């Protein structure tokens, strides 16, 4: 993102050149820790949590509830259930949480107090209207909805297969972890082109807004995709696949395994409470 950093130079703007450059991901880790300290690896956590927490709550709750409804309609062995439940729940959570993307972007772009942030958002709404809160919804949906459909389909299949292999009545922590990591890797690879397109579009918007330029090029998803292939070849659509897999695979594994463990824990706890209640009434 170096090319979107500009600095004021009198009345003109000049490209900001950072000292040195990263030769790879490991080199970036080492230099960031050395120069900025290990805590800097978690910089930007509050804006991320603003999006992640409500999105995850809506997403997982919706998936479970939709799955129960679809099982009653289609039967528990239908392969359509995880695809439909995953797609609809992601679409719903994305639509509800999309306005928070504006807040996260503003918080990450510059240091703002909460009062300044509120003023900035009010100015944006006054200028562009309420629909501006859902700007970027389309490209995000094109990436996240297919990701969810592919992820849940493979997760449920891999989980069932591993449970059968290890003769487990319900998934253990390691079964959920392995299934989540594998399914996440498959989904991340398949949907990476949409993520690359989204990044390109965001980068172009930043360039135009920062330099106060008029937006001349088309930013439709299909146009940007064709432009990437023309400039960088087909492999350009899969740029950054290693960092994405390193991020997505463990994230999916940790999320789903802790979620499944939490469900199992509270299910057992509720059964114990019911059992104790029955015993107390009978005695």
């Amino acid at each position: 993102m170096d090319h979107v950093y500009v600095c004021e130079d009198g009345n003109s703007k000049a490209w900001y050149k950072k000292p040195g450059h990263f030769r790879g991901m490991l080199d970036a880790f080492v230099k960031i820790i050395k120069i900025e300290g290990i805590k800097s690896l978690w910089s930007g956590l509050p804006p991320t949590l603003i999006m992640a927490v409500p999105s995850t709550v809506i997403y997982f709750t919706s998936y479970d509830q939709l799955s129960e409804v679809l099982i009653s309609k289609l039967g528990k062995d239908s392969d359509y259930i995880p695809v439909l439940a995953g797609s609809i729940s992601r679409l719903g959570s994305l639509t509800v949480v999309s306005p928070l993307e504006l807040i996260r972007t503003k918080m990450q772009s510059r240091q703002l107090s909460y009062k300044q942030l509120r003023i900035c958002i009010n100015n944006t709404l006054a200028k562009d209207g309420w629909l501006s809160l859902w700007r970027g919804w389309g490209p995000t949906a094109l990436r996240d909805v297919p990701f969810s459909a592919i992820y849940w389909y493979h997760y449920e299949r891999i989980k069932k297969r591993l449970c059968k292999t290890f003769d487990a009545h319900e998934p253990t922590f390691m079964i959920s972890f392995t299934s989540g990591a594998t399914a996440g890797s498959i989904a991340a690879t398949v949907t990476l082109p949409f993520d690359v397109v989204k990044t390109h579009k965001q980068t172009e918007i930043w360039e135009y807004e920062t330099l106060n330029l008029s937006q001349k090029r088309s930013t439709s998803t299909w146009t940007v995709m064709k432009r990437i292939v023309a400039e960088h070849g087909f492999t350009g659509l899969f740029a950054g696949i290693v960092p994405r897999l390193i991020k997505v695979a463990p994230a999916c594994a940790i999320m789903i395994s802790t979620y499944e463990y939490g469900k199992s824990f509270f299910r057992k706890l509720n059964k114990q409470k019911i059992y104790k209640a029955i015993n107390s009434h009978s005695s």
Side-chain angles (χ1 to χ4, degrees), residues 46-168:
T48 302
L49 290 177
I50 283 175
M51 285 285 293
V53 173
S55 176
T56 304
V57 169
I58 296 167
Y59 181 39
F60 277 81
T61 306
S62 301
Y63 178 80
D64 271 347
Q65 296 300 316
L66 283 167
S67 294
E68 290 296 325
V69 172
L70 290 170
I71 285 171
S72 65
K73 302 286 185 184
L74 303 174
K76 64 178 183 179
D77 296 323
S78 175
D79 288 334
Y80 294 110
I81 292 172
V83 175
L84 290 172
S87 300
I88 296 168
S89 58
R90 173 52 78 186
L91 196 62
S93 66
L94 173 66
T95 303
V96 172
V97 180
S98 186
L100 294 176
E101 178 79 29
L102 175 66
I103 298 173
R104 186 182 72 162
T105 304
K106 297 293 183 187
M107 288 178 72
Q108 287 180 327
S109 63
R110 46 192 160 142
Q111 291 292 327
L112 295 172
S113 66
Y114 287 106
K115 185 179 179 181
Q116 290 172 322
L117 181 64
R118 190 177 69 252
I119 293 169
C120 189
I121 291 169
N122 287 337
N123 290 338
T124 302
L125 292 177
K127 182 183 176 184
D128 302 321
W130 283 95
L131 286 177
S132 64
L133 292 175
W134 283 270
R135 186 180 291 161
W137 180 90
T140 306
L142 281 172
R143 180 195 64 184
D144 289 358
V145 173
F147 179 95
S148 295
I150 296 165
Y151 170 77
W152 285 109
Y153 173 78
H154 285 94
Y155 171 74
E156 296 291 356
R157 284 181 68 88
I158 294 166
K159 182 179 72 172
K160 284 179 185 176
R161 191 169 295 176
L162 289 176
C163 284
K164 191 175 181 181
T165 302
F166 294 102
D167 196 26

Side-chain angles (χ1 to χ4, degrees), residues 143 147 187-189 191-192 195 240-249:
R143 180 195 64 184
F147 179 95
T189 303
T191 59
L192 182 61
D195 192 50
I241 188 168
V242 174
R244 181 160 163 80
L245 288 176
I246 289 172
K247 174 191 171 185
V248 171

